Amino acid sequence: MNLGNRTILVVDDEPRTRQGIRQTLEVWAAGRYIVETADNGIDARERLLHGRVHLLITDVRMPEVSGLDLIRSLEGQVRKPVIIVISGYAEFDYVQQALRLGAVNYLLKPLDKEELVQVVEAALKQEEEQQRREKLEKLVDHKLMEIDPDTAGMGEPVKEALAYVEQHLHEQLTMAEVAGRIHLNASYFSVLFKEQTGVPFSEYLSRLRIQRAKELLLQTSLPIVEIGERVGYRTDKYFIKVFKSLEDMSPSRYRHQMKNGRSEI
């Protein structure tokens, strides 16, 4: 994960508080994070709309666009930052509203530097975990996850077929070949397979190959053409075509986005 591309945005209309937070975090971060500031909610909202922010630290009360308004403006965004709010003791009802809107923690003024760093570290760990889960979500094929050989309705012939495909995924498999291996007529096997797994054999084979390809894209630096060969495709052109049909992007773009800390599509 490239921490140098991760950004913290500090929003506060009080210059002393804003700059104090920035300086404290820059010393703590030692170049690991980019720390940016905004002195009002309007500029902050524009920054959030047009660039990736991983952690938002905002005062809850500001003129024109408050911290609460800023948090509300993030609703519906695919990738929202984790949020810490700052407030005075007399504004704790605003803090409660912010927590209900999704803020993960709060800080009361005057800020303690040690507490600030501790709260920021915890929030960034939460953001990393959130990003990790999102990446896993992109990696996993849920249709494949639903196919469980141990379910009561799965017969031995289909179980054997699933095991055979797993072991010979790199080969040029056909439905007729797999059916022959388990001594079934191809037409009957086709009906049986879909009935017990919920997907046609050809779709299952494509999904499994692309699932394995995604793992290789992230875990190795192998060329695209070699990865295609390893999961059973004779040409990289056809491999890319099937990959795009299931993932809505090319293998190279998938690798780039996932390895550079981006999971949005």
Side-chain angles (χ1 to χ4, degrees), residues 141-161:
D141 187 314
H142 291 282
K143 280 199 174 183
L144 291 180
M145 293 292 288
E146 291 169 3
I147 299 172
D148 182 2
D150 295 325
T151 56
M154 187 79 71
E156 284 303 319
V158 173
K159 287 182 182 179
E160 287 181 36

Side-chain angles (χ1 to χ4, degrees), residues 58-175:
T58 180
D59 193 1
V60 289
R61 286 191 67 181
M62 294 181 292
E64 297 185 73
V65 174
S66 70
L68 293 178
D69 293 332
L70 189 59
I71 295 169
R72 288 190 189 100
S73 73
L74 297 171
E75 290 181 12
Q77 282 196 16
V78 176
R79 292 299 310 276
K80 293 193 292 187
V82 288
I83 303 163
I84 296 170
V85 292
I86 14 179
S87 76
Y89 284 99
E91 303 159 345
F92 197 71
D93 57 328
Y94 291 103
V95 171
Q96 291 175 317
Q97 290 182 58
L99 293 173
R100 285 195 291 269
L101 289 169
V104 299
N105 214 330
Y106 64 91
L107 293 162
L108 295 176
K109 296 179 181 179
L111 302 184
D112 178 83
K113 290 183 179 181
E114 187 175 331
E115 183 186 11
L116 169 64
V117 169
Q118 289 174 351
V119 169
V120 165
E121 284 179 336
L124 286 167
K125 283 180 182 177
Q126 186 168 331
E127 195 276 336
E128 286 179 26
E129 177 61 22
Q130 177 180 304
Q131 190 175 78
R132 188 187 69 82
R133 287 196 303 267
E134 288 173 357
K135 283 189 173 185
L136 287 174
E137 187 74 14
K138 296 293 181 186
L139 182 63
V140 171
D141 187 314
H142 291 282
K143 280 199 174 183
L144 291 180
M145 293 292 288
E146 291 169 3
I147 299 172
D148 182 2
D150 295 325
T151 56
M154 187 79 71
E156 284 303 319
V158 173
K159 287 182 182 179
E160 287 181 36
L162 293 173
Y164 183 82
V165 170
E166 280 272 1
Q167 294 165 10
H168 298 83
L169 197 62
H170 60 286
E171 299 175 8
Q172 304 300 312
L173 295 172
T174 65
M175 186 175 66

